[in-house]
Amino acid sequence: MRTIKLTLGYYGTGFRGWQVQPGLPSIQAEMMRALEQVTGEPVTIEPSGRTDAGVHALAQTASFTTNSAIPCENLVKAINRWLPHSIRVYSAEDREPGFHARFNAAGKIYRYRIFRQPVCPPERWRYVHHFPYPLDAAEMRAAAAAFEGTHDFTSFTSPEELPSGPRDRLIHSSRLTEDDGELVYQVHGSGFLHHMVRNVVGTLMEVGKGNLRASDIAGIIAARDRMRAGPTVPAKGLWLVEVLY
Amino acid sequence: MRTIKLTLGYYGTGFRGWQVQPGLPSIQAEMMRALEQVTGEPVTIEPSGRTDAGVHALAQTASFTTNSAIPCENLVKAINRWLPHSIRVYSAEDREPGFHARFNAAGKIYRYRIFRQPVCPPERWRYVHHFPYPLDAAEMRAAAAAFEGTHDFTSFTSPEELPSGPRDRLIHSSRLTEDDGELVYQVHGSGFLHHMVRNVVGTLMEVGKGNLRASDIAGIIAARDRMRAGPTVPAKGLWLVEVLY
């Protein structure tokens, strides 16, 4: 039995997210269907973490076990033949028995793109959150930095997150930059709670609008109260950039 | 009566092209519907030229006449409110009576994107022609340059082009560059026949594959015979970049 790690990208528009939902399009359902065609076996595939409907991935990871003897390079080609073009496997590698894309992950990098100009080009529309109104980018940058370190992120999670699970996450870097008409937030953390990145960005936007100050962030984190943080920004601006091992 | 020039972009996937076709989605139908909502009048809109199904535009132009007194800046905002996000108007300007987006155009710039790596990222799939097989880019560059100058482009048009129309076009520049995993062909000409850019690129690809040489281009042009040139490449790699006046 081999354990295989896949690296894949997807264009999230049109999918109801990673997780299989009966009768609805999902990344997982497409992956399972393709793997079954290629290996001739029913396959269970585990991602580094689920992504929500509309979220894109530049490099998600997933693992599965198989009796298939197909070499990794051929596996990539064969799986891609069975997938829609909105999902692509970039690489496959054999890993040690017991390897699991989620449990072995050491961290993740997410990016959130906010398009700032008055008119959003059609070819960029599904990849960004369009927000052409005034934002104080300098204050937002200061607020972004305030998320670095280990914190309990209860204020930034969704009601769907398990109430009993640990809420501490280590944020290695949390930065806002400007690029090609966009404000780009990039965050590297040990892991993320459900909706955490989108809620952090929603809070940064409240800072940008002047409804909060960068100096408020520490108190919002400490409050462990979802009501204190900003709203959840739209999924289509969110990109899973990399999963680190 | 005002004459207005619009500059607009569109994501061509999902449209049957510019031209209205009963019961099918088209850029023109969406534009007419939006303009009618905004001006309160039935409006005839004329593009710099039709684009085919699946072709994208970074900056198409179109003109129409109206009795509406709405200032240009507000017109842009109002039209965009009635359009799908796959079409955006970037600017509107009052022009002299008789101005026509097509007849007044002095030239156009088109771009064709060929993605070269083995796996095409899902977020780029609808914007490029994916061709990961060997191509001799140096020979293609030499062939591209051979299109510059004034030529009869009969060998590079489609059977749908009017048989009686003039076939001479002046090509100011015709160049192939490499950028971010892509071969990018960009051509600036006085005008283009139906399918001309896609047929020129199809011919350049035959050169890249070694089926033709750069030195064959002059003879293919001189033959005025569609059978001598390469096939029509897919629409989704084609971008109307700019219309010059």
Side-chain angles (χ1 to χ4, degrees):
Chain A
M1 190 71 115
R2 293 159 73 194
T3 300
I4 291 175
K5 175 190 168 204
L6 298 178
T7 302
L8 64 149
Y10 42 87
Y11 168 53
T13 310
F15 291 110
R16 297 296 300 173
W18 174 276
Q19 178 78 353
V20 162
Q21 296 183 53
L24 295 171
S26 67
I27 319 289
Q28 187 184 9
E30 294 290 347
M31 289 300 297
M32 285 171 66
R33 197 174 59 84
L35 288 170
E36 196 166 319
Q37 292 289 347
V38 170
T39 64
E41 312 163 331
V43 169
T44 302
I45 181 164
E46 298 287 351
S48 73
R50 298 171 188 176
T51 51
D52 284 330
V55 174
H56 313 292
L58 292 177
Q60 167 71 290
T61 56
S63 53
F64 66 99
T65 56
T66 182
N67 292 306
S68 165
I70 304 172
C72 282
E73 193 181 335
N74 297 354
L75 208 50
V76 171
K77 290 180 190 166
I79 298 168
N80 281 334
R81 270 196 289 272
W82 288 98
L83 287 173
H85 288 287
S86 46
I87 308 176
R88 287 289 99 175
V89 174
Y90 293 115
S91 65
E93 52 177 314
D94 279 286
R95 293 297 304 247
E96 66 284 6
F99 173 87
H100 188 290
R102 179 169 157 218
F103 301 129
N104 288 55
K108 278 185 196 176
I109 298 174
Y110 275 101
R111 185 179 296 159
Y112 195 88
R113 297 170 55 179
I114 304 165
F115 187 73
R116 301 288 297 129
Q117 293 169 4
V119 181
C120 186
E123 66 276 13
R124 222 189 284 203
W125 171 254
R126 291 177 186 280
Y127 298 164
V128 296
H129 173 38
H130 185 209
F131 190 84
Y133 313 104
L135 287 174
D136 180 343
E139 191 70 12
M140 289 172 75
R141 267 194 298 279
F147 287 97
E148 295 182 355
T150 300
H151 307 288
D152 179 321
F153 279 94
T154 298
S155 297
F156 300 89
T157 190
S158 81
E160 289 166 49
E161 186 71 32
L162 284 179
S164 60
R167 305 290 181 91
D168 278 3
R169 295 294 184 275
L170 166 57
I171 301 300
H172 298 284
S173 70
S174 168
R175 285 177 201 155
L176 194 76
T177 53
E178 296 180 46
D179 180 43
D180 193 19
E182 299 178 16
L183 277 178
V184 180
Y185 174 67
Q186 189 155 309
V187 60
H188 170 197
S190 60
F192 295 88
L193 299 166
H194 188 235
H195 280 183
M196 179 171 148
V197 180
R198 289 162 63 189
N199 291 341
V200 165
V201 174
T203 306
L204 293 179
M205 291 188 70
E206 290 306 303
V207 171
K209 293 177 203 170
N211 298 332
L212 292 171
R213 301 284 302 166
S215 55
D216 294 329
I217 299 298
I220 295 170
I221 294 172
R224 300 180 195 188
D225 176 2
R226 177 70 190 89
M227 300 304 289
R228 294 282 300 278
T232 310
V233 286
K236 71 190 180 90
L238 185 60
W239 294 76
L240 173 54
V241 173
E242 194 179 352
V243 184
L244 302 150
Y245 289 90
Chain B
M1 190 70 115
R2 294 160 72 196
T3 300
I4 292 175
K5 174 190 168 202
L6 298 179
T7 302
L8 64 150
Y10 42 86
Y11 167 54
T13 311
F15 290 110
R16 296 297 300 175
W18 174 276
Q19 176 80 351
V20 162
Q21 297 183 53
L24 296 171
S26 67
I27 319 290
Q28 186 183 10
E30 294 291 346
M31 290 301 297
M32 284 171 66
R33 197 174 58 85
L35 287 170
E36 195 166 319
Q37 292 290 347
V38 170
T39 64
E41 312 162 331
V43 169
T44 302
I45 180 164
E46 298 286 351
S48 74
R50 299 171 187 177
T51 52
D52 284 330
V55 174
H56 314 291
L58 292 177
Q60 168 70 288
T61 56
S63 54
F64 67 100
T65 58
T66 181
N67 292 305
S68 165
I70 304 173
C72 282
E73 195 182 332
N74 297 353
L75 208 50
V76 170
K77 290 179 189 166
I79 299 169
N80 281 335
R81 270 197 287 273
W82 288 99
L83 286 173
H85 288 286
S86 47
I87 308 176
R88 286 291 100 174
V89 174
Y90 292 115
S91 65
E93 53 177 311
D94 278 287
R95 293 298 304 248
E96 68 282 7
F99 173 87
H100 188 289
R102 178 170 157 217
F103 301 128
N104 289 56
K108 278 185 196 175
I109 298 174
Y110 276 100
R111 186 179 295 161
Y112 196 89
R113 296 170 56 180
I114 304 165
F115 187 73
R116 301 288 298 129
Q117 293 169 4
V119 181
C120 186
E123 67 276 12
R124 220 187 288 204
W125 172 253
R126 290 178 187 279
Y127 297 164
V128 297
H129 172 38
H130 185 209
F131 190 84
Y133 313 105
L135 287 175
D136 180 342
E139 190 72 12
M140 289 172 77
R141 266 194 298 279
F147 287 97
E148 295 183 355
T150 299
H151 307 288
D152 179 321
F153 279 95
T154 297
S155 296
F156 299 89
T157 191
S158 81
E160 288 166 51
E161 187 70 33
L162 284 180
S164 59
R167 306 291 180 89
D168 278 3
R169 294 294 184 275
L170 166 58
I171 301 301
H172 298 285
S173 70
S174 168
R175 284 176 203 156
L176 195 77
T177 54
E178 295 179 48
D179 179 43
D180 193 21
E182 299 178 15
L183 277 178
V184 180
Y185 174 67
Q186 190 156 310
V187 60
H188 171 198
S190 60
F192 295 89
L193 300 165
H194 188 236
H195 280 182
M196 178 171 148
V197 180
R198 290 162 64 189
N199 292 340
V200 164
V201 173
T203 306
L204 293 178
M205 291 188 70
E206 291 304 304
V207 171
K209 293 177 203 170
N211 298 332
L212 292 170
R213 301 284 302 166
S215 55
D216 295 328
I217 300 298
I220 296 169
I221 294 173
R224 301 180 195 188
D225 176 2
R226 177 71 190 90
M227 300 305 289
R228 293 282 300 278
T232 310
V233 287
K236 73 190 178 90
L238 185 61
W239 295 76
L240 173 53
V241 173
E242 194 178 352
V243 184
L244 302 150
Y245 288 90

